[in-house]
Amino acid sequence: MNRPFLPLVLGAAFAVSTMSPHALAGAQRSDRAATATTPVSAPISNVRYAVTFDQSTARRRSLRVAMTFNVSGNDPVLLSMPAWTPGAYEISDYVRRVTDMAVTGEGGTPRWDKFDPDTWRLVPNGARAITLSFWYTADSMDNAMSWANREFVFFNGTNVMPYPEGRGTDFAATVTVNTESNWQIVTGMTPGATPRTWTARNYHDLVDMPFFVGPLEVDSSRIGDTMFRTVTYPRGVLSGADRARFWDQLKKVMPPMVNVFGEMPVPTYTTLILFDSTTAGAAALEHSNSHLGIYSPFIVDHEFLPSITAHEIFHLWNVKRLRPADMVPYKYDREQPTTWLWVSEGITDYYADLVQVRGGVIDSAHFLRLVTGKIGEVAAAPNVALEDASLSSWVRPVDGTQYVYYPKGSLAGFMLDVMIRDASDNARSLDTVMRDLYQTTFKAGRGFTGQEWWAAVSRAAGGKSFTDFNDRYVDGREPYPWPTILPLAGLRLNVDSIREPWIGVSTNVDSGGVMVMELEPNGAAQAAGVMVGDYLLRVGDIPVSDPDFGARYRARYARSDGDTVALLVRREGKERTLSLPVRNRVRTEESIVFDRNASPKAIRIRAGILKGS
Ligand SMILES: [Zn+2]
């Protein structure tokens, strides 16, 4: 989630998190979870969707959508639009972007109206085949939504494909995409018998395979038994040596992932990336056999690219298949809160780091830096229990805890890994737990319960109880016990004092850029006259949108205490230059390092984590 939405931290001088574009769209939280009964549509069959995106619809930045199906009686057909997309844990109400609804029939003239805010009621009135058609506004650069320009669109099935309310999701369907002959269409869906047509066996698969349409850069390569495709727009951003490096990283992270679960669950996998220079960070959303990322071009040669890629692909197992029972099956008309996003997202993020070090994309020092960074992120956010943060995802808290279950859940996974390895003398690990639950729950066609999760952890640790761990660190808010955990894995925490320039703002990234949310009292930014709501553009000659802004700023001005530097901001649409005093402060920096006095057992555990043994 959205969105899986990964915060891209720009550096310690700014506390930056990526804000969901949904927050800007002002989507309302729905209370439909409380609705007692679901109404039931009359049955429909032979369901076909047609989506048109060509030069003329592109000018409207819209998709033309038609849904055709057969009916056998005259009972009302109830067709609903999803309220959210699995993985993006927030209500988006895609029906808001539907316009120009029309209904036609063969053999009769259907009557229609709305049944509830996101459901249409169609009375066949003798018709045996009915077509529902509408326009869908593709104006949301959000990976759970749809976005078009004059030659390109990405769209999610949840946005444009209504479903019969209350009838289950086990209906097959086809999708036809009509477009210009020289534009490409890429999706993870299974190709059908006719050109530009795809098929799905059920609604879950149908809406879990987004489309890219336009002039795309596409290439593919086999990794193990799986055919991987990399699909990017626009052409030329991830190209040449950059693209070759991307493929090399992919080939390195895949074997360690497959090793955790013992199998690759799909025959093909597609990475879909939209590069956009107005995007300040990076956000991606996982799907059944693909993921869709929207990235700043800055990411092309940034270490975050292989990290977010590994994160999204690990979801192929963890959450797309191995999933908390609270979210099985997905329900598209309401919130599906769970206390387990710390496993679905946090532990996925732990494995994103692990598979990079195990595959050789990063070295062990870099891996330890990532762990340390997560400890810092958690320390910088208000203290919140993992279970509570997971539940709160749906209400998008504004106190800085919205995405804290990513780093904090990752750290909880790291602690569990160390404790299981310690209890089993490195014979078993968190890998054992993941593989065990994948086999015993996903393969049995269901989600895992809390009881099953902790039973699997306990089994891997030779029967050790984790009740106390859960009470303190998952359901509770106690600080994580690094001084006792790290030595078990041959590691220790090092604390340094560092003197460095400090701007004194907290910011959020939205579609307008890096916006000031808060000013530190008596900080440099406040002294310069920066105001909440200003967009920070440039400090000296360093663009604030640079992912390495913090590090570059600190390096450039480390010895300039007392000097001033030009700060370019945008306030109410107008650019202005302020004079920013360079002010140093002393901060303690923690780092995790190899412990020279580690026992042979601790060294085995450390190697086990880093090498996946
Ligand atoms: Zn994720």
Side-chain angles (χ1 to χ4, degrees):
M1 147 186 178
N2 78 0
R3 140 147 65 116
F5 217 87
L6 282 180
L8 173 55
V9 176
L10 297 191
F14 287 96
V16 172
S17 64
T18 314
M19 187 163 75
S20 156
H22 284 305
L24 304 174
Q28 296 293 305
R29 184 186 173 210
S30 166
D31 284 322
R32 275 165 293 180
T35 310
T37 54
T38 303
V40 178
S41 169
I44 64 174
S45 60
N46 193 17
V47 180
R48 290 149 283 159
Y49 301 88
V51 179
T52 300
F53 180 75
D54 54 23
Q55 289 188 8
S56 96
T57 66
R59 272 195 292 279
R60 281 179 70 158
R61 296 190 66 202
S62 293
L63 295 162
R64 185 87 183 117
V65 182
M67 175 189 186
T68 303
F69 54 87
N70 294 20
V71 285
S72 54
N74 276 315
D75 291 339
V77 174
L78 301 176
L79 296 175
S80 262
M81 293 292 285
W84 67 294
T85 301
Y89 304 108
E90 57 191 55
I91 294 298
S92 294
D93 287 329
Y94 303 116
V95 70
R96 298 177 66 230
R97 288 181 162 72
V98 171
T99 63
D100 303 272
M101 173 64 70
V103 178
T104 56
E106 278 174 33
T109 306
R111 285 183 290 113
W112 66 277
D113 65 357
K114 269 205 171 172
F115 178 77
D116 68 28
D118 60 14
T119 306
W120 294 280
R121 171 173 45 199
L122 284 60
V123 178
N125 216 12
R128 289 296 161 260
I130 294 178
T131 297
L132 176 82
S133 55
F134 55 88
W135 287 87
Y136 187 86
T137 307
D139 65 349
S140 311
M141 197 180 281
D142 176 321
N143 50 39
M145 301 186 78
S146 302
W147 182 85
N149 64 17
R150 291 297 182 94
E151 59 169 18
F152 167 82
V153 70
F154 75 79
F155 65 91
N156 282 280
T158 47
N159 292 206
V160 294
M161 295 171 188
Y163 63 93
E165 181 92 44
R167 294 222 66 93
T169 50
D170 267 342
F171 61 93
T174 67
V175 181
T176 303
V177 175
N178 305 304
T179 191
E180 301 294 336
S181 60
N182 58 339
W183 290 355
Q184 292 146 284
I185 309 165
V186 177
T187 173
M189 281 185 76
T190 307
T194 50
R196 301 198 162 192
T197 295
W198 290 263
T199 63
R201 291 166 307 171
N202 60 63
Y203 190 74
H204 296 303
D205 289 352
L206 177 73
V207 297
D208 203 15
M209 300 184 185
F211 282 76
F212 263 32
V213 180
L216 311 171
E217 189 163 349
V218 183
D219 57 354
S220 56
S221 181
R222 196 164 281 282
I223 305 176
D225 294 328
T226 307
M227 188 56 89
F228 281 75
R229 272 186 303 186
T230 300
V231 182
T232 54
Y233 175 85
R235 289 174 181 158
V237 179
L238 186 63
S239 282
D242 292 325
R243 203 169 182 98
R245 185 175 57 247
F246 179 77
W247 273 110
D248 179 59
Q249 289 162 341
L250 211 50
K251 284 171 183 164
K252 285 175 171 160
V253 297
M254 286 316 301
M257 279 200 228
V258 175
N259 265 347
V260 174
F261 294 94
E263 68 170 21
M264 183 73 185
V266 291
T268 66
Y269 189 86
T270 306
T271 299
L272 301 159
I273 305 175
L274 164 62
F275 288 105
D276 180 82
S277 55
T278 67
T279 297
L285 182 56
E286 69 278 6
H287 294 284
S288 173
N289 61 4
S290 63
H291 68 269
L292 196 170
I294 302 175
Y295 303 155
S296 161
F298 270 122
I299 202 177
V300 163
D301 54 4
H302 195 274
E303 65 189 35
F304 197 62
L305 179 58
S307 169
I308 195 170
T309 303
H311 176 110
E312 300 307 330
I313 300 179
F314 196 80
H315 275 314
L316 198 45
W317 296 270
N318 193 28
V319 100
K320 290 315 325 183
R321 289 172 177 80
L322 171 60
R323 185 155 79 235
D326 300 332
M327 294 195 290
V328 178
Y330 285 129
K331 296 185 173 77
Y332 298 93
D333 62 338
R334 68 194 72 175
E335 294 174 347
Q336 254 180 312
T338 174
T339 54
W340 292 91
L341 290 186
W342 68 276
V343 168
S344 298
E345 290 298 346
I347 285 183
T348 294
D349 217 46
Y350 176 51
Y351 274 97
D353 300 347
L354 280 181
V355 300
Q356 287 189 89
V357 71
R358 289 175 182 175
V361 175
I362 60 175
D363 61 16
S364 59
H366 189 149
F367 171 80
L368 296 177
R369 221 164 47 239
L370 294 172
V371 177
T372 311
K374 289 173 180 178
I375 292 175
E377 271 185 77
V378 172
N383 189 13
V384 59
L386 280 175
E387 292 195 349
D388 296 351
S390 299
L391 285 172
S392 295
S393 173
W394 288 90
V395 297
R396 307 192 307 275
V398 297
D399 63 353
T401 61
Q402 181 170 3
Y403 299 116
V404 79
Y405 54 86
Y406 284 85
K408 195 168 185 176
S410 175
L411 295 172
F414 175 50
M415 287 204 293
L416 289 173
D417 202 6
V418 172
M419 291 169 78
I420 294 166
R421 288 174 188 273
D422 183 63
S424 66
D425 196 5
N426 204 42
R428 289 178 298 276
S429 67
L430 190 59
D431 295 4
T432 318
V433 175
M434 301 306 283
R435 189 163 47 236
D436 178 348
L437 286 172
Y438 182 79
Q439 289 294 336
T440 56
T441 64
F442 163 67
K443 291 279 188 173
R446 59 193 180 82
F448 69 84
T449 64
Q451 206 178 9
E452 285 171 323
W453 168 267
W454 290 118
V457 172
S458 179
R459 230 172 8 251
K464 180 180 160 67
S465 166
F466 282 79
T467 305
D468 184 60
F469 183 97
N470 179 54
D471 291 349
R472 287 169 183 240
Y473 310 123
V474 177
D475 193 21
R477 288 174 287 274
E478 289 194 29
Y480 287 0
W482 299 120
T484 54
I485 292 288
L486 291 174
L488 300 177
L491 302 168
R492 66 183 174 81
L493 203 59
N494 208 27
V495 181
D496 277 336
S497 282
I498 292 175
R499 196 173 159 76
E500 65 182 16
W502 186 252
I503 292 176
V505 288
S506 62
T507 56
N508 242 325
V509 177
D510 65 22
S511 56
V514 179
M515 188 178 71
V516 176
M517 305 293 285
E518 248 181 287
L519 290 161
E520 204 172 275
N522 304 316
Q526 194 185 58
V530 172
M531 294 171 68
V532 169
D534 284 355
Y535 285 95
L536 302 179
L537 304 178
R538 203 162 59 232
V539 178
D541 61 356
I542 310 172
V544 176
S545 56
D546 184 335
D548 292 320
F549 170 79
R552 288 185 63 192
Y553 173 73
R554 289 190 297 275
R556 177 79 55 84
Y557 297 106
R559 278 170 299 281
S560 311
D561 204 357
D563 292 354
T564 59
V565 56
L567 166 63
L568 184 66
V569 304
R570 192 174 64 246
R571 181 179 299 163
E572 289 161 3
K574 290 201 182 100
E575 293 190 1
R576 60 178 74 199
T577 302
L578 305 175
S579 182
L580 180 74
V582 179
R583 287 188 184 168
N584 282 325
R585 65 162 204 175
V586 177
R587 131 185 109 77
T588 55
E589 184 174 88
E590 296 177 328
S591 54
I592 297 173
V593 295
F594 278 22
D595 181 358
R596 287 209 188 89
N597 304 315
S599 68
K601 180 185 173 186
I603 291 171
R604 278 199 298 280
I605 290 173
R606 186 173 73 201
I609 291 170
L610 297 172
K611 297 196 170 77
S613 51

